[in-house]
Short mmCIF file of all heavy atoms in Angstrom, two decimals:
data_model
loop_
_atom_site.label_atom_id
_atom_site.label_comp_id
_atom_site.label_asym_id
_atom_site.label_seq_id
_atom_site.Cartn_x
_atom_site.Cartn_y
_atom_site.Cartn_z
N LEU F 18 91.38 215.88 -20.94
CA LEU F 18 92.26 214.71 -20.72
C LEU F 18 91.70 213.86 -19.64
O LEU F 18 91.68 212.60 -19.77
CB LEU F 18 93.67 215.17 -20.41
CG LEU F 18 94.42 215.85 -21.51
CD1 LEU F 18 95.76 216.50 -20.99
CD2 LEU F 18 94.85 214.79 -22.64
N GLU F 21 88.75 211.67 -20.74
CA GLU F 21 89.09 210.58 -21.61
C GLU F 21 89.13 209.29 -20.75
O GLU F 21 88.83 208.20 -21.23
CB GLU F 21 90.46 210.76 -22.34
CG GLU F 21 90.43 211.71 -23.46
CD GLU F 21 91.82 211.89 -24.03
OE1 GLU F 21 92.71 211.07 -23.85
OE2 GLU F 21 92.01 212.94 -24.65
N PHE F 31 91.05 228.15 -9.39
CA PHE F 31 91.24 229.19 -8.47
C PHE F 31 92.46 229.95 -8.73
O PHE F 31 93.35 229.61 -9.46
CB PHE F 31 91.20 228.67 -6.94
CG PHE F 31 92.32 227.54 -6.69
CD1 PHE F 31 93.57 228.01 -6.25
CD2 PHE F 31 92.12 226.31 -6.97
CE1 PHE F 31 94.56 227.14 -5.99
CE2 PHE F 31 93.10 225.42 -6.74
CZ PHE F 31 94.32 225.80 -6.19
N ALA F 32 92.49 231.15 -8.16
CA ALA F 32 93.54 232.06 -8.43
C ALA F 32 94.78 231.66 -7.77
O ALA F 32 94.81 230.77 -6.81
CB ALA F 32 93.18 233.49 -7.81
N CYS F 49 83.74 214.38 -3.41
CA CYS F 49 84.48 213.75 -4.47
C CYS F 49 85.18 212.53 -3.99
O CYS F 49 85.66 212.45 -2.89
CB CYS F 49 85.52 214.70 -5.14
SG CYS F 49 84.84 216.20 -5.84
N THR F 52 90.55 213.89 -5.33
CA THR F 52 90.72 215.22 -5.84
C THR F 52 92.23 215.37 -6.22
O THR F 52 93.07 214.79 -5.53
CB THR F 52 90.47 216.20 -4.68
OG1 THR F 52 89.11 216.05 -4.33
CG2 THR F 52 90.72 217.56 -5.10
N LEU F 93 104.06 220.68 1.80
CA LEU F 93 102.83 219.95 1.92
C LEU F 93 103.17 218.49 2.27
O LEU F 93 102.70 217.59 1.59
CB LEU F 93 102.00 220.13 0.64
CG LEU F 93 101.53 221.47 0.26
CD1 LEU F 93 101.03 221.53 -1.09
CD2 LEU F 93 100.54 222.06 1.32
N PRO F 94 103.92 218.27 3.28
CA PRO F 94 104.23 216.92 3.72
C PRO F 94 103.13 216.00 4.07
O PRO F 94 103.23 214.85 4.07
CB PRO F 94 105.21 217.07 4.83
CG PRO F 94 104.83 218.36 5.53
CD PRO F 94 104.39 219.22 4.32
N ALA F 101 105.43 215.70 -9.35
CA ALA F 101 105.93 217.03 -9.99
C ALA F 101 105.97 216.91 -11.50
O ALA F 101 106.46 215.86 -11.95
CB ALA F 101 107.33 217.31 -9.43
N LYS F 126 113.54 210.69 -10.76
CA LYS F 126 113.99 211.14 -9.45
C LYS F 126 114.12 212.64 -9.42
O LYS F 126 114.57 213.28 -10.44
CB LYS F 126 115.40 210.47 -9.16
CG LYS F 126 115.87 210.80 -7.72
CD LYS F 126 117.21 210.18 -7.53
CE LYS F 126 117.68 210.65 -6.18
NZ LYS F 126 118.97 210.07 -5.84
N GLU F 132 113.65 219.82 1.43
CA GLU F 132 113.64 219.81 2.84
C GLU F 132 112.22 219.86 3.30
O GLU F 132 111.56 220.89 3.05
CB GLU F 132 114.56 220.90 3.48
CG GLU F 132 114.65 220.81 4.91
CD GLU F 132 115.71 221.87 5.47
OE1 GLU F 132 116.73 222.01 4.88
OE2 GLU F 132 115.38 222.38 6.56
N MET F 133 111.68 218.86 3.92
CA MET F 133 110.32 218.83 4.31
C MET F 133 110.06 219.69 5.50
O MET F 133 110.90 219.73 6.46
CB MET F 133 109.86 217.39 4.61
CG MET F 133 110.13 216.49 3.43
SD MET F 133 109.53 217.14 1.78
CE MET F 133 107.82 216.84 2.01
#
Side-chain angles (χ1 to χ4, degrees):
L18 292 169
E21 287 178 20
F31 58 90
C49 297
T52 301
L93 298 168
K126 183 178 177 184
E132 187 171 320
M133 305 309 286

